[in-house]
PDB file of all heavy atoms in Angstrom:
ATOM      1  N   LYS A 123       9.932 -23.342  -4.411  1.00  0.00           N
ATOM      2  CA  LYS A 123      10.727 -22.666  -5.437  1.00  0.00           C
ATOM      3  C   LYS A 123      10.243 -21.222  -5.526  1.00  0.00           C
ATOM      4  O   LYS A 123       9.044 -20.968  -5.665  1.00  0.00           O
ATOM      5  CB  LYS A 123      10.559 -23.358  -6.784  1.00  0.00           C
ATOM      6  CG  LYS A 123      11.379 -22.726  -7.890  1.00  0.00           C
ATOM      7  CD  LYS A 123      11.159 -23.425  -9.213  1.00  0.00           C
ATOM      8  CE  LYS A 123      11.936 -22.697 -10.301  1.00  0.00           C
ATOM      9  NZ  LYS A 123      11.649 -23.232 -11.614  1.00  0.00           N
ATOM     10  N   PHE A 124      11.198 -20.282  -5.460  1.00  0.00           N
ATOM     11  CA  PHE A 124      10.842 -18.873  -5.541  1.00  0.00           C
ATOM     12  C   PHE A 124      10.801 -18.429  -7.000  1.00  0.00           C
ATOM     13  O   PHE A 124      11.719 -18.695  -7.767  1.00  0.00           O
ATOM     14  CB  PHE A 124      11.845 -17.996  -4.778  1.00  0.00           C
ATOM     15  CG  PHE A 124      11.466 -16.549  -4.777  1.00  0.00           C
ATOM     16  CD1 PHE A 124      10.444 -16.095  -3.975  1.00  0.00           C
ATOM     17  CD2 PHE A 124      12.116 -15.646  -5.604  1.00  0.00           C
ATOM     18  CE1 PHE A 124      10.075 -14.763  -3.971  1.00  0.00           C
ATOM     19  CE2 PHE A 124      11.763 -14.307  -5.606  1.00  0.00           C
ATOM     20  CZ  PHE A 124      10.742 -13.866  -4.786  1.00  0.00           C
ATOM     21  N   ILE A 125       9.715 -17.751  -7.378  1.00  0.00           N
ATOM     22  CA  ILE A 125       9.533 -17.263  -8.744  1.00  0.00           C
ATOM     23  C   ILE A 125       9.383 -15.747  -8.692  1.00  0.00           C
ATOM     24  O   ILE A 125       8.493 -15.225  -8.001  1.00  0.00           O
ATOM     25  CB  ILE A 125       8.304 -17.917  -9.403  1.00  0.00           C
ATOM     26  CG1 ILE A 125       8.520 -19.429  -9.445  1.00  0.00           C
ATOM     27  CG2 ILE A 125       8.058 -17.337 -10.787  1.00  0.00           C
ATOM     28  CD1 ILE A 125       7.324 -20.241  -9.766  1.00  0.00           C
ATOM     29  N   ASN A 126      10.268 -15.040  -9.403  1.00  0.00           N
ATOM     30  CA  ASN A 126      10.218 -13.575  -9.456  1.00  0.00           C
ATOM     31  C   ASN A 126       8.983 -13.121 -10.215  1.00  0.00           C
ATOM     32  O   ASN A 126       8.571 -13.758 -11.184  1.00  0.00           O
ATOM     33  CB  ASN A 126      11.451 -13.012 -10.158  1.00  0.00           C
ATOM     34  CG  ASN A 126      12.681 -13.088  -9.301  1.00  0.00           C
ATOM     35  OD1 ASN A 126      12.630 -12.827  -8.106  1.00  0.00           O
ATOM     36  ND2 ASN A 126      13.789 -13.460  -9.906  1.00  0.00           N
ATOM     37  N   LEU A 127       8.425 -12.006  -9.778  1.00  0.00           N
ATOM     38  CA  LEU A 127       7.294 -11.385 -10.470  1.00  0.00           C
ATOM     39  C   LEU A 127       7.678  -9.969 -10.844  1.00  0.00           C
ATOM     40  O   LEU A 127       7.961  -9.153  -9.972  1.00  0.00           O
ATOM     41  CB  LEU A 127       6.061 -11.319  -9.567  1.00  0.00           C
ATOM     42  CG  LEU A 127       5.181 -12.536  -9.468  1.00  0.00           C
ATOM     43  CD1 LEU A 127       4.068 -12.295  -8.460  1.00  0.00           C
ATOM     44  CD2 LEU A 127       4.587 -12.916 -10.790  1.00  0.00           C
ATOM     45  N   ASN A 128       7.708  -9.667 -12.131  1.00  0.00           N
ATOM     46  CA  ASN A 128       7.906  -8.278 -12.518  1.00  0.00           C
ATOM     47  C   ASN A 128       6.528  -7.621 -12.624  1.00  0.00           C
ATOM     48  O   ASN A 128       5.496  -8.268 -12.471  1.00  0.00           O
ATOM     49  CB  ASN A 128       8.711  -8.154 -13.815  1.00  0.00           C
ATOM     50  CG  ASN A 128       7.997  -8.774 -15.002  1.00  0.00           C
ATOM     51  OD1 ASN A 128       6.773  -8.830 -15.044  1.00  0.00           O
ATOM     52  ND2 ASN A 128       8.767  -9.234 -15.970  1.00  0.00           N
ATOM     53  N   GLN A 129       6.497  -6.344 -12.877  1.00  0.00           N
ATOM     54  CA  GLN A 129       5.243  -5.590 -12.909  1.00  0.00           C
ATOM     55  C   GLN A 129       4.260  -6.145 -13.944  1.00  0.00           C
ATOM     56  O   GLN A 129       3.062  -6.182 -13.707  1.00  0.00           O
ATOM     57  CB  GLN A 129       5.547  -4.115 -13.186  1.00  0.00           C
ATOM     58  CG  GLN A 129       4.468  -3.175 -12.789  1.00  0.00           C
ATOM     59  CD  GLN A 129       4.162  -3.222 -11.296  1.00  0.00           C
ATOM     60  OE1 GLN A 129       5.019  -3.424 -10.457  1.00  0.00           O
ATOM     61  NE2 GLN A 129       2.923  -3.023 -10.956  1.00  0.00           N
ATOM     62  N   ASN A 130       4.768  -6.607 -15.089  1.00  0.00           N
ATOM     63  CA  ASN A 130       3.891  -7.145 -16.131  1.00  0.00           C
ATOM     64  C   ASN A 130       3.231  -8.451 -15.700  1.00  0.00           C
ATOM     65  O   ASN A 130       2.062  -8.687 -15.972  1.00  0.00           O
ATOM     66  CB  ASN A 130       4.672  -7.360 -17.430  1.00  0.00           C
ATOM     67  CG  ASN A 130       5.217  -6.070 -17.993  1.00  0.00           C
ATOM     68  OD1 ASN A 130       4.636  -5.008 -17.786  1.00  0.00           O
ATOM     69  ND2 ASN A 130       6.345  -6.148 -18.672  1.00  0.00           N
ATOM     70  N   LYS A 131       3.976  -9.307 -15.036  1.00  0.00           N
ATOM     71  CA  LYS A 131       3.448 -10.601 -14.609  1.00  0.00           C
ATOM     72  C   LYS A 131       2.582 -10.500 -13.355  1.00  0.00           C
ATOM     73  O   LYS A 131       1.749 -11.356 -13.114  1.00  0.00           O
ATOM     74  CB  LYS A 131       4.599 -11.574 -14.341  1.00  0.00           C
ATOM     75  CG  LYS A 131       5.379 -11.964 -15.569  1.00  0.00           C
ATOM     76  CD  LYS A 131       6.495 -12.916 -15.188  1.00  0.00           C
ATOM     77  CE  LYS A 131       7.349 -13.271 -16.387  1.00  0.00           C
ATOM     78  NZ  LYS A 131       8.481 -14.133 -15.982  1.00  0.00           N
TER      79      LYS A 131
END
Side-chain angles (χ1 to χ4, degrees):
K123 181 181 176 186
F124 183 75
I125 300 167
N126 286 319
L127 277 176
N128 63 29
Q129 200 61 34
N130 297 331
K131 293 180 183 176

